[in-house]
Amino acid sequence: MYNIIIYFYLLGVAIASLFNEKVRKMWRGERDAFRVLREKTDPNARYVWVHAASLGEFEQGRPLIEQIRREHPEYKILLTFFSPSGYEVRKNYEGADIICYLPLDTITNARRFLRIIRPEIAFFIKYEFWYNYLHILKHRGVPVYSVSSIFREGQVFFRWYGRQYGRVLKCFTHFYVQNEKSRQLLAGIGLTNVTITGDTRFDRVLQIKEAAKQLPIVESFCQQPTGKGQSPKVFVAGSSWPPDEEIFIRYFNAHPEWKLIIAPHVIGEDHLKQITSLLKGRKVVRYTEAEKGVGVADADVLIIDCFGLLSSIYHYGHVTYVGGGFGVGIHNVLEAAVWNVPVVIGPNNKKFQEAQDLLAVGGSFEISTYEDFGQLMDRFQNNPQFLAEAGEKAGDFVKGKAGASQMILSDVAF
């Protein structure tokens, strides 16, 4: 049944590629993967294969890749992606020797792929459970590790109708899971080759913090007094969507003692104009305008209309907001929390373990309405000790969860 579904999926992707640019990139990339492997594979080398579906999973796997690179230079690294959002961004990543798409999981593709690369060890990051690849790897005696995986009761593996497909989990040599609940679910279907290591993303955000950029434009914006002559407090909103912006912009229109940095998730002219239209009585400057010489010192709002700066910009905030919680689901709260600042999020956060844990320790705060947000911000404004303690809890939470990559590699037999 699985293979029939895969072939129907393959047909669907081929048709969709005629109309959708993202699908077309994936379709072409998967077909081109075998050429890349033939050209770049060294038949005398020993390979570690790391597979990440997309950019988020890559960021989870990156600390592992870089530690393998440092500690086991006898291996070369193959990095594969399923989604263009991962491959197109990281196709020139210097930490891997070969980077390509993973061809779709047909029996023929899996056999051909593994015949070329012949990996000695494989790491699948978080949610990747490709039936044919995993069964052939097991048949060949290749150890396969699931890294930073997290399991929930509703997943197909734990349903009566998913038992046959659930056999794919028996192909893993070991699971390095994020939490106790995952361990219990796996134990319930007879899998005890499980270790709770937490999430390797904590290691990654600490790396990102160490490599943070100095941003003179942002520094100039943050250092100038507000219209009331006070030293400003700065609110940084990252990966925001329109429902997020409608809430927090309304508050800051009425509170000129705060400066506001907005790094929207979608950087398009229509969205940027929509944000600007919501800002009443505030001087607004775009980051790219400031790069061209427009001053930011007397601006009230700085809109980040380019990519690659957000993780460094969080450093300048007294309070941060991570968007997505009123729609698609919240984005990365750890990149903000690592800077010892409290994190505000919307209600769609229940499926994000790190967000739930950060809420529990008091380093993050959930809001559902404008009234929730206003009350929280007033408390931050009027109670400096509360603000400082919340930020400290956020930073301590991230530091306390680090070390998963080292735990995993100390356990894996190279």
Side-chain angles (χ1 to χ4, degrees), residues 59 62-63 66 70 201-214 311-315 334-340 395 398-399 402:
E59 291 297 328
R62 184 169 177 169
E66 294 177 357
R70 291 192 302 271
R201 277 186 301 174
F202 290 91
D203 300 332
R204 178 61 187 146
V205 294
L206 287 168
Q207 288 180 341
I208 292 171
K209 181 181 180 182
E210 290 298 316
K213 303 171 184 175
Q214 293 296 312
S311 59
S312 298
I313 286 174
Y314 281 130
H315 169 50
L334 301 181
E335 287 188 349
V338 73
W339 290 107
N340 287 40
V398 177
K399 292 190 284 285

Side-chain angles (χ1 to χ4, degrees), residues 115 133 184 208 223 259 266 268 319 324 332 354 383 405:
R115 193 179 299 125
Y133 282 103
Q184 292 175 359
I208 292 171
Q223 289 171 359
K259 288 200 168 191
V266 176
V319 179
N332 192 340
E354 70 283 2
N383 190 337
S405 300

Side-chain angles (χ1 to χ4, degrees), residues 25-234:
K25 286 181 179 179
M26 182 178 73
W27 173 246
R28 290 174 178 170
E30 289 179 1
R31 294 166 66 191
D32 196 46
F34 291 112
R35 179 194 61 79
V36 173
L37 291 172
R38 285 194 304 269
E39 291 179 358
K40 295 189 176 183
T41 300
D42 179 352
N44 298 313
R46 304 170 67 190
Y47 282 95
V48 171
W49 174 23
V50 179
H51 177 63
S54 190
L55 185 60
E57 288 79 10
F58 165 76
E59 291 297 328
Q60 283 181 292
R62 184 169 177 169
L64 205 67
I65 293 171
E66 294 177 357
Q67 193 164 337
I68 292 171
R69 190 67 127 184
R70 291 192 302 271
E71 297 181 3
H72 298 280
E74 67 274 20
Y75 288 96
K76 290 192 173 185
I77 295 174
L78 165 68
L79 172 63
T80 59
F81 290 97
F82 182 74
S83 169
S85 62
Y87 176 80
E88 296 299 330
V89 175
R90 296 303 182 199
K91 59 187 176 183
N92 297 316
Y93 171 59
E94 295 181 353
D97 299 281
I98 305 173
I99 303 173
C100 65
Y101 282 91
L102 180 68
L104 198 63
D105 188 30
T106 66
I107 295 174
T108 300
N109 281 349
R111 285 174 175 166
R112 186 181 175 192
F113 180 91
L114 294 170
R115 193 179 299 125
I116 295 173
I117 197 69
R118 301 192 316 276
E120 294 189 17
I121 303 171
F123 294 92
F124 281 39
I125 309 300
K126 198 172 183 179
Y127 287 135
E128 294 300 274
F129 307 106
W130 295 109
Y131 192 90
N132 291 313
Y133 282 103
L134 287 165
H135 276 86
I136 295 172
L137 285 166
K138 182 179 180 181
H139 178 73
R140 294 185 173 206
V142 177
V144 185
Y145 302 97
S146 179
V147 174
S148 292
S149 45
I150 189 166
F151 294 90
R152 299 181 179 88
E153 291 178 356
Q155 287 173 299
V156 64
F157 315 113
F158 312 112
R159 302 284 189 168
W160 65 266
Y161 54 79
R163 290 174 184 170
Q164 183 175 0
Y165 177 67
R167 295 173 186 168
V168 71
L169 299 181
K170 295 182 179 179
C171 296
F172 284 95
T173 306
H174 205 87
F175 294 89
Y176 296 101
V177 300
Q178 293 190 30
N179 58 20
E180 172 64 20
K181 181 64 175 178
S182 296
R183 188 198 66 78
Q184 292 175 359
L185 286 169
L186 292 172
I189 58 173
L191 295 171
T192 57
N193 51 333
V194 182
T195 302
I196 302 170
T197 56
D199 192 342
T200 52
R201 277 186 301 174
F202 290 91
D203 300 332
R204 178 61 187 146
V205 294
L206 287 168
Q207 288 180 341
I208 292 171
K209 181 181 180 182
E210 290 298 316
K213 303 171 184 175
Q214 293 296 312
L215 302 172
I217 290 172
V218 180
E219 289 177 2
S220 177
F221 170 79
C222 294
Q223 289 171 359
Q224 296 300 318
T226 63
K228 293 185 176 182
Q230 301 169 332
S231 297
K233 281 190 169 58
V234 179

